[in-house]
Amino acid sequence: MPSPSRQQRNLDPELRQRLILEAQTPWRGLRRALWFALFASAGLGLFAMIFRASAGAGVDLSDFGIQAGALVLFAALLWFDRTRSKD
């Protein structure tokens, strides 16, 4: 059985970096998919409320605020969960 130092030398540096990144931020892809789905849902809900209001139907201001708040929250979660380059 090879020693750990020999195994580290055989590992591709690019693969090693990706594995380290995944270990530091597990489930990033699934989490970002969830944030995007919730962001899209909030956007669609807000669009439907605006469309209903433009047609003359009443829309509660509190409901509008909740939808707008959800849109901003999930947009912020997507923004802060992005991959940052270390240039």
Side-chain angles (χ1 to χ4, degrees), residues 18-29 31 81 83:
R18 279 193 344 208
L19 289 173
I20 289 172
L21 182 64
E22 178 64 27
Q24 290 172 348
T25 57
W27 303 100
R28 171 175 265 157
R31 196 172 56 234
D81 202 19
T83 303

Side-chain angles (χ1 to χ4, degrees), residues 17-77:
Q17 187 62 32
R18 279 193 344 208
L19 289 173
I20 289 172
L21 182 64
E22 178 64 27
Q24 290 172 348
T25 57
W27 303 100
R28 171 175 265 157
L30 183 63
R31 196 172 56 234
R32 287 189 52 85
L34 177 66
W35 297 152
F36 183 76
L38 293 171
F39 171 76
S41 174
L44 242 106
L46 190 62
F47 174 75
M49 284 186 170
I50 291 171
F51 193 70
R52 252 186 19 218
S54 70
V59 175
D60 288 337
L61 191 57
S62 62
D63 291 344
F64 183 79
I66 290 170
Q67 283 299 122
L71 187 72
V72 168
L73 172 71
F74 294 123
L77 286 171

